[in-house]
Amino acid sequence: MVSMKLLQQLAKKHGTPLLVVDHDEIRRNYATFRKYLPRVQAYFAVKALSEPAVVQTLFQAGASFDVASMPEFRIVHEFIRDMPAKERQDWIWDKIIYAHPIKADATLRELNPYKPLVTYDNHEEIRKIAKHAPQAGLVLRLKVLNTGAMVELSSKFGAAPGEAVDLILEADRAGLVVEGLSFHVGSQTTNFDNFVQAINLAANVFEEARARGYTKMNLLDIGGGFPAPYDKSVKPFRELARKINAELDRLFPPEIQILAEPGRFMVATAATAVSTIIGMAVRDGKLCYYIDDGVYHTFSGILFDHCTYHFGAFRKGRTEICTVFGPTCDALDVVSMSENLPANLERGDLLYSRNIGAYSIASSTCFNGFPPAKVVHVNQK
Ligand SMILES: Cc1ncc(COP(=O)(O)O)c(C=O)c1O
């Protein structure tokens, strides 16, 4: 964990708002993932923290990558630019999945020469891929239960189990190769049974596909959703891993390759936001601090990720429940209505917020003309 002293030094050097990303913690998270899920290749979901430096650290650690847009694809592709063409080709297959079930025609055309692995979940997408990216390998995304996830995704994506094999056979008839199945149990899933049920459902679809004559599937992608330890209610990762391993070993023979797309798990605990108090007021008897970062910026996860963050102060003092507002003119820019902070903080004092690496700076805007926080990387190799 980056010490408070270092946070203060970095804030002094770079100013605020600041996001400090600790690469030792990213490497630790990746190692934990690999240790407890040894059969699963981690494709880091770049969208969670799309900093090239983060991709580089995970690349060096041995990770593969889940991208969902061409800019994300290019961040990862940058690392292999100089490889010979043949190696580059293999690398893309092993290292990148384009895991967005709905892709624009132009995106497919741009992807096609790379012979990518792409997800799909509907008839229209098969027609599009057959026309614009016939060299792609396909992964059918299944709709699975997202119950108890902080962010549900199943209303937007995923083929119903009953239509899954029809969609596989239709892609086959269109001349495409379906390599396997994927699902996403919802982000920050603390209900571990979602994974168990989804793996069982995928096994049923594999079985039905085989029974109906389709035998080319060789991979299962168990998606993202691995929870970050934001608080003590999140059970240890090894418990989730134990359940996943048991189901994978029971239902999928060793020759089936297992992938996952962890985003939050790799980076949530790796970043700390540091902001400055720029104003203070007492409204309806409650102390309000105004800081130079907010929900349009590093704290965007409050809106887009249904996440809550907590603050710490560098100055000690008697605490009371305060409101923390962001810097923009919008009344929506409320970072917290109930933070227990020292009441004696002054303009210019710093606040910090830990565990804010996932879906934070990645969805920051420039609303009201305020630029995103500066990102500083520590413990890079
Ligand atoms: C297709 C896909 N894969 C992976 C992820 C990463 O999920 P998480 O950060 O919950 O691990 C997401 C997040 O939205 C996603 O949409």
Side-chain angles (χ1 to χ4, degrees), residues 62-354:
S64 303
F65 299 93
D66 148 15
V67 301
S69 69
M70 287 316 286
E72 287 183 1
F73 179 87
R74 280 182 217 113
I75 291 175
V76 180
H77 190 251
E78 189 69 13
F79 290 96
I80 52 163
R81 264 233 199 106
D82 301 330
M83 279 183 186
K86 171 73 179 76
E87 265 178 55
R88 199 162 58 218
Q89 196 55 70
D90 293 347
W91 193 92
I92 288 182
W93 192 259
D94 287 344
K95 288 285 185 181
I96 300 185
I97 181 165
Y98 195 102
H100 194 318
I102 312 287
K103 296 155 289 300
D105 291 359
T107 301
L108 288 169
R109 281 195 293 271
E110 207 177 331
L111 280 172
N112 189 47
Y114 299 104
K115 302 190 182 151
L117 201 52
V118 302
T119 60
Y120 79 108
D121 67 2
N122 66 84
H123 300 282
E124 189 60 28
E125 202 69 11
I126 294 174
R127 285 190 275 278
K128 278 158 58 183
I129 297 171
K131 181 160 180 207
H132 300 293
Q135 304 202 78
L138 271 59
V139 175
L140 178 69
R141 169 125 166 217
L142 299 172
K143 183 182 172 80
V144 296
L145 280 181
N146 278 202
T147 316
M150 188 165 82
V151 187
E152 294 208 6
L153 297 163
S154 56
S155 60
K156 189 165 177 183
F157 300 116
E163 62 173 353
V165 179
D166 289 344
L167 284 166
I168 292 167
L169 297 178
E170 184 181 330
D172 185 42
R173 283 195 298 275
L176 301 168
V177 178
V178 181
E179 301 282 339
L181 303 176
S182 75
F183 56 75
H184 197 303
V185 296
S187 201
Q188 187 67 11
T189 283
T190 47
N191 175 12
F192 295 168
D193 282 344
N194 283 357
F195 278 100
V196 173
Q197 294 195 28
I199 293 169
N200 277 267
L201 188 138
N204 290 341
V205 175
F206 260 76
E207 191 49 49
E208 185 190 330
R210 257 193 305 271
R212 292 173 63 184
Y214 190 81
T215 54
K216 291 184 194 156
M217 289 202 290
N218 55 39
L219 70 86
L220 174 67
D221 175 353
I222 62 174
F226 307 91
Y230 290 122
D231 59 48
K232 294 205 162 48
S233 72
V234 180
K235 284 183 258 154
F237 180 68
R238 62 172 184 281
E239 278 187 34
L240 171 59
R242 194 167 35 77
K243 288 192 174 209
I244 291 176
N245 289 332
E247 292 310 290
L248 291 177
D249 290 345
R250 195 169 68 79
L251 297 166
F252 289 91
E255 62 272 17
I256 301 292
Q257 198 192 337
I258 312 290
L259 286 50
E261 301 164 2
R264 182 188 307 279
F265 182 84
M266 295 293 169
V267 292
T269 55
T272 306
V274 186
S275 48
T276 301
I277 295 175
I278 54 169
M280 280 138 56
V282 175
R283 304 202 187 273
D284 300 323
K286 190 174 175 191
L287 178 56
C288 304
Y289 290 121
Y290 292 74
I291 62 172
D292 59 0
D293 205 344
V295 302
Y296 286 93
H297 298 86
T298 313
F299 294 86
S300 58
I302 290 170
L303 293 181
F304 299 129
D305 194 34
H306 314 276
C307 202
T308 45
Y309 306 100
H310 294 290
F311 286 94
F314 293 85
R315 186 196 290 271
K316 298 248 175 305
R318 184 187 54 78
T319 60
E320 65 183 52
I321 298 295
C322 311
T323 297
V324 180
F325 286 123
T328 68
C329 284
D330 191 351
L332 185 77
D333 199 357
V334 183
V335 187
S336 175
M337 290 295 280
S338 60
E339 276 308 298
N340 202 22
L341 284 170
N344 59 337
L345 298 182
E346 294 172 2
R347 214 161 14 94
D349 275 348
L350 300 175
L351 296 179
Y352 65 90
S353 199
R354 296 209 185 263

